[in-house]
Amino acid sequence: MANFYYRSLGSFLLFLIVFSGVYGQAPGCPNVDAGEDQLVACGGTVDLSADFLETGETSEYTVTPIDYAPPFPFTGGSGSTSITADDRWSQIIDLGFDFCFFDGQYSSVLINSNGAITFDVAGRIPGGRYNANTGAAWGIGGSIPGSGDARTFLSIFGVLQDTDPAISGAPYSPSNPNGWTINYELVGDFPCRMLVFNIYNLKLFSNSHCPDINSTSSQSYQIVLYETTNVIDVYVKSRVACTGWNNGRGIIGIQNRDATVAFTPPGRNTGTWNATEEAWRFTPSGPSNSQVSWLDADGNFIGSGRDITVTPPYFPYTYTAQAEYFSCNGEIVTVDDT
């Protein structure tokens, strides 16, 4: 169990928050691991090494493959959307937390039936381009960065392709576990609340163009946004391309508000690729906004960085690894492990 602390840059108040259960184990949360307990001879030294989720500002991102282990069920989202027809944006979804994305700070999103999340919400940010409960573009004219079609501005794609709930059969329900669903859920507690967005068991647009694929396959993926770290994870349970429609194009990636900068996994920036049980992480990697320090048993600072060599003054003796995360909204979150 990890201890989480919070303080504001403009306040001396300190709050202790203890995570437990599934939310505390979510992989993109602030975390640090001081390593296993060690034995050392009297008077001897020992090397300690901390493992922590290192992040930076959101001017840049690093894209890496991660284990396919979706932290939430694809059908578990309690948030109902207004999406029941093809090519639609949802109602405005208030995150309840600040999410930093391409050097901006946002607290609401729209999701659509084609696998996109946008922060470019009309009425919520100056000059917001996309309106709730309206039509969403479906065509993909090329790779990202790019715009003018389904490649929306200031967005996360995972997987962006033309999926259609209107032809996907009966919706999911406990009595119809194989049905389709477009759902979301806001889960967790400060400092690691999460938006979970699921597209599950949807068919590709127009059975006349993709009859074989729609009769044998479905499209299912999950996107998770993490507070504080601003990490984005994409889990693809199944994606099968149909070359008979929209050239079979599909995109996993993110792009900025001007559609001039984008980050994508290798081989996933459009194209007729297929995937089963793969996952990708987008980690902010601009100038560092996280650090790890070491404390002695009295809470005194003794060094910084992942690795440190120490000489315990007596036995048993406890050292603490402490990671700090500096958010774009001015908050500082600290997590430690002994």
Side-chain angles (χ1 to χ4, degrees):
M1 182 177 293
N3 294 328
F4 291 81
Y5 305 85
Y6 156 76
R7 67 182 183 273
S8 169
L9 290 175
S11 172
F12 292 101
L13 294 178
L14 181 69
F15 300 91
L16 169 65
I17 298 174
V18 180
F19 273 6
S20 62
V22 64
Y23 302 147
Q25 301 303 315
C29 289
N31 67 80
V32 64
D33 183 352
E36 299 295 326
D37 293 347
Q38 298 192 43
L39 296 176
V40 58
C42 290
T45 62
V46 61
D47 296 325
L48 302 178
S49 183
D51 183 21
F52 81 111
L53 179 57
E54 187 172 3
T55 62
E57 295 179 8
T58 58
S59 54
E60 298 283 336
Y61 289 82
T62 299
V63 186
T64 54
I66 58 175
D67 292 338
Y68 179 80
F72 305 99
F74 285 86
T75 58
S78 60
S80 60
T81 74
S82 53
I83 301 172
T84 58
D86 189 29
D87 302 329
R88 299 291 294 179
W89 286 111
S90 69
Q91 73 273 30
I92 294 175
I93 299 170
D94 291 312
L95 299 178
F97 60 89
D98 293 323
F99 189 81
C100 306
F101 186 67
F102 281 109
D103 288 333
Q105 181 179 320
Y106 307 97
S107 59
S108 58
V109 300
L110 301 176
I111 62 179
N112 75 22
S113 58
N114 295 324
I117 298 174
T118 186
F119 300 94
D120 207 350
V121 182
R124 293 301 178 92
I125 65 172
R129 295 180 175 94
Y130 304 109
N131 290 281
N133 303 310
T134 59
W138 57 267
I140 301 175
S143 59
I144 56 174
S147 61
D149 46 37
R151 296 168 297 166
T152 47
F153 298 92
L154 198 63
S155 294
I156 300 165
F157 309 123
V159 177
L160 182 68
Q161 60 178 349
D162 191 9
T163 44
D164 185 358
I167 65 166
S168 297
Y172 169 85
S173 68
S175 60
N176 183 35
N178 295 319
W180 68 271
T181 175
I182 300 173
N183 66 78
Y184 74 93
E185 188 160 15
L186 298 167
V187 297
D189 298 300
F190 175 85
C192 194
R193 289 165 287 195
M194 291 152 271
L195 169 67
V196 184
F197 169 36
N198 292 306
I199 281 185
Y200 181 71
N201 269 356
L202 258 68
K203 303 299 183 182
L204 295 167
F205 174 78
S206 181
N207 281 324
S208 64
H209 293 283
C210 311
D212 295 337
I213 290 174
N214 275 352
S215 65
T216 60
S217 305
S218 59
Q219 319 292 318
S220 300
Y221 15 91
Q222 179 178 102
I223 303 174
V224 185
L225 280 59
Y226 293 92
E227 182 186 23
T228 300
T229 64
N230 304 301
V231 162
I232 302 160
D233 287 345
V234 177
Y235 298 91
V236 182
K237 179 179 176 66
S238 175
R239 192 264 168 166
V240 183
C242 167
T243 57
W245 182 250
N246 204 18
N247 293 314
R249 292 172 177 151
I251 296 175
I252 298 175
I254 61 176
Q255 74 172 354
N256 69 349
R257 194 174 186 196
D258 298 324
T260 55
V261 178
F263 297 91
T264 65
R268 299 294 179 256
N269 193 359
T270 197
T272 56
W273 51 272
N274 298 331
T276 302
E277 295 190 353
E278 74 171 34
W280 300 95
R281 170 163 292 177
F282 297 78
T283 304
S285 57
S288 179
N289 64 0
S290 60
Q291 63 186 24
V292 65
S293 303
W294 290 91
L295 310 178
D296 65 16
D298 296 319
N300 299 311
F301 172 84
I302 57 171
S304 59
R306 291 178 181 269
D307 304 314
I308 192 171
T309 300
V310 294
T311 303
Y314 55 84
F315 300 95
Y317 197 83
T318 298
Y319 293 95
T320 298
Q322 185 176 86
E324 288 185 306
Y325 295 85
F326 303 86
S327 175
C328 66
N329 65 7
E331 296 171 350
I332 303 174
V333 170
T334 301
V335 56
D336 60 42
D337 186 49
T338 58

